[in-house]
Amino acid sequence: MSLTLPGILVDSAWLQANLAAPELLLLDATVELPAPRFDGDYRSSSGYAGWLQAHIPGARHADLLTELADTDASFSFALPTPERLLKALAALGLNDEKRLVIYDRAEGFWAARLWWMLRSVGVDAAVLDGGFKAWQRLQDVGCPVRTIAPCPMPLGAQSTPYWVDRTHVEAVVAGHTPGTLICALGTALFDGSAPSRYARRGHIPGSQNLPARTLFDEQGHYLPKDALVQVLDAYLHDDTPLILYCGGGISAAANALALTLLGRQHIAIYDGSLQEWAADARLPMTTGAPPA
């Protein structure tokens, strides 16, 4: 095998240099999810039409709404069974000879989501740092090569589940199961001061707020590792399980990727996130600033 992924993140210069490699499988994981105009305004659609209009040469569209999701679940983007996920990936061209790179045409959250899905079933992959926008900038003006160190944790070494369900989160909220709940949504969505596309405003009680967008620079690249350490320092010094969520388990995946880059283990994503939690009036939610 002549093509080797340099780490969790690859840059546009590396991709350009390896674009013609027969071992490369490039996937566009974009989903369209407009900002809510009012409470409960949930609109999602496939990114396929956008992929038809523009994509990196050779990229295939990976549909997180249908082929790569459990469409029978009560919430969008639900994790499919490993068998269904692997079958869908095989249909996209994945096999033992391929090296997989994922990107999206948005803020990088969709690519991170698919990366975490693959990681949970033992499939190695990398994310294009900065996504399609970074690729376009490279074609226009060029960009320097950035060195991205490999993941310090071997694939499959995580001792806790990659995913948790609502019952597990309820146990954490009740204090019956250890865990730190972290919401990846923006501050205004977390504290309930902005309209939410979900059934209720606010966050799961006891949650801390770590907006995923704070992990990126102005051009959409993940921050350098020393800057990521500053942002994520509070979560790097013990082994308490981290339970990450957002609206649909998408932005949370960017947090999971960044924490993994820094070697943090014991990370799980609540797959249903607020789309499932907020829809059940029996489950508690709260508004306001995170606990001190």
Side-chain angles (χ1 to χ4, degrees), residues 147-174:
T147 300
I148 306 295
C151 172
M153 182 179 70
L155 188 65
Q158 175 156 304
S159 59
T160 50
Y162 287 86
W163 308 92
V164 297
D165 59 15
R166 185 185 66 184
T167 300
H168 187 101
V169 176
E170 289 183 86
V172 173
V173 172

Side-chain angles (χ1 to χ4, degrees), residues 15-265:
L15 181 60
Q16 185 176 56
N18 292 280
L19 195 62
E23 305 95 337
L24 179 67
L25 176 60
L26 186 60
L27 297 181
D28 180 333
T30 307
V31 175
E32 303 296 338
L33 189 66
R37 300 162 297 183
F38 46 81
D39 288 338
D41 179 27
Y42 190 92
R43 293 166 289 137
S44 62
S45 60
S46 170
Y48 181 73
W51 172 84
L52 284 175
Q53 292 179 356
H55 57 265
I56 298 174
R60 302 183 181 187
H61 181 250
D63 198 327
L64 292 178
L65 273 176
T66 55
E67 284 84 0
L68 296 172
D70 176 5
T71 55
D72 294 325
S74 62
F75 51 89
S76 303
F77 320 115
L79 183 71
T81 64
E83 295 77 14
R84 178 172 175 177
L85 176 58
L86 292 172
K87 182 178 180 180
L89 290 167
L92 287 168
L94 183 64
N95 57 46
D96 291 340
E97 304 300 318
K98 296 296 185 180
R99 294 296 175 260
L100 181 56
V101 175
I102 311 161
Y103 75 93
D104 64 45
R105 301 187 307 278
E107 293 132 331
F109 301 154
W110 302 108
R113 166 71 182 196
L114 182 52
W115 173 83
W116 189 255
M117 291 169 63
L118 295 172
R119 187 174 177 82
S120 71
V121 295
V123 176
D124 196 14
V127 169
L128 175 60
D129 193 20
F132 188 60
K133 295 176 182 177
W135 175 262
Q136 289 178 308
R137 286 193 296 269
L138 175 65
Q139 307 314 303
D140 292 340
V141 299
C143 68
V145 174
R146 299 178 62 207
T147 300
I148 306 295
C151 172
M153 182 179 70
L155 188 65
Q158 175 156 304
S159 59
T160 50
Y162 287 86
W163 308 92
V164 297
D165 59 15
R166 185 185 66 184
T167 300
H168 187 101
V169 176
E170 289 183 86
V172 173
V173 172
H176 301 320
T177 298
T180 298
L181 290 165
I182 301 175
C183 178
L185 296 176
T187 301
L189 291 170
F190 179 87
D191 66 23
S193 60
S196 171
R197 60 171 57 92
Y198 310 107
R200 290 179 286 163
R201 293 192 186 192
H203 55 271
I204 300 172
S207 299
Q208 299 183 27
N209 190 205
L210 177 61
R213 284 186 173 82
T214 63
L215 307 175
F216 297 86
D217 64 21
E218 293 180 353
Q219 292 188 321
H221 295 279
Y222 282 89
L223 297 172
K225 283 193 173 182
D226 56 349
L228 283 177
V229 168
Q230 294 182 23
V231 175
L232 300 171
D233 183 67
Y235 307 108
L236 300 178
H237 303 292
D238 63 46
D239 292 329
T240 302
L242 302 179
I243 310 300
L244 314 181
Y245 74 94
C246 50
I250 309 301
S251 298
N255 284 1
L257 190 154
L259 286 160
T260 303
L261 270 175
L262 301 181
R264 183 57 154 93
Q265 299 187 43

